Amino acid sequence: MPLITGEMVIHAALKKARLIPDVIPSNFYPEAMLDIKYGNEQVTLGNELDAQTTATAPDITVIPPGNYTLLMANQCNNQGLPLGNVSRPDPSFGTTGPFVFLLYKQRHHLDKNTFDAQEFMAHEPLAGVNFFNIKT
């Protein structure tokens, strides 16, 4: 019987949601755990949350601690947005997800006035990921 690792579970969930290879490279290897909670509701690799539950900013813990940049993206528009500018997903835009948290190692100082999410995502190492959908 083959050994199933955490990385295998993460890759399977990302492929099932079609995040690999559409948003996340197929060679992605998680280096950090991204623990996200909206109140008492845990974000768990594609689970469904009520829109009302996600109306407030989430509590986020990263293990191991370090210098990271966290982006929240919607797979439908693939526009990375700094979490500080997006406190909640908005299903009124016609999508229920997946809403993807992308955790990147931050190797350089970022200027919020000139930040380009697509450029950043193309050149910085992805360290962790988590995602959820909005219940319809």
Side-chain angles (χ1 to χ4, degrees):
M1 179 162 68
L3 175 66
I4 297 176
T5 65
E7 291 81 15
M8 292 168 73
V9 171
I10 292 169
H11 268 258
L14 295 172
K15 285 180 182 177
K16 182 178 179 183
R18 300 174 74 189
L19 294 171
I20 289 178
D22 294 350
V23 177
I24 298 165
S26 58
N27 64 349
F28 167 67
Y29 179 83
E31 297 179 23
M33 184 181 83
L34 189 52
D35 181 56
I36 302 168
K37 290 182 183 175
Y38 284 95
N40 293 325
E41 297 288 329
Q42 184 83 32
V43 174
T44 312
L45 294 174
N47 62 323
E48 291 187 336
L49 300 175
D50 292 317
Q52 188 174 19
T53 299
T54 64
T56 59
D59 293 319
I60 299 170
T61 304
V62 178
I63 301 170
N67 291 326
Y68 299 102
T69 297
L70 181 63
L71 303 179
M72 183 179 192
N74 180 304
Q75 183 184 14
C76 293
N77 64 18
N78 198 15
Q79 297 293 318
L81 299 171
L83 185 61
N85 295 339
V86 180
S87 62
R88 68 180 184 96
D90 189 349
S92 66
F93 289 122
T95 182
T96 56
F99 294 94
V100 186
F101 291 92
L102 301 161
L103 184 71
Y104 289 87
K105 288 184 178 180
Q106 184 174 328
R107 300 184 295 185
H108 312 287
H109 173 75
L110 301 177
D111 182 348
K112 68 180 183 177
N113 296 317
T114 60
F115 182 77
D116 180 328
Q118 296 296 330
E119 182 74 15
F120 181 83
M121 292 166 65
H123 295 98
E124 297 301 322
L126 183 62
V129 65
N130 207 336
F131 67 101
F132 69 96
N133 295 288
I134 297 290
K135 286 182 187 174
T136 55

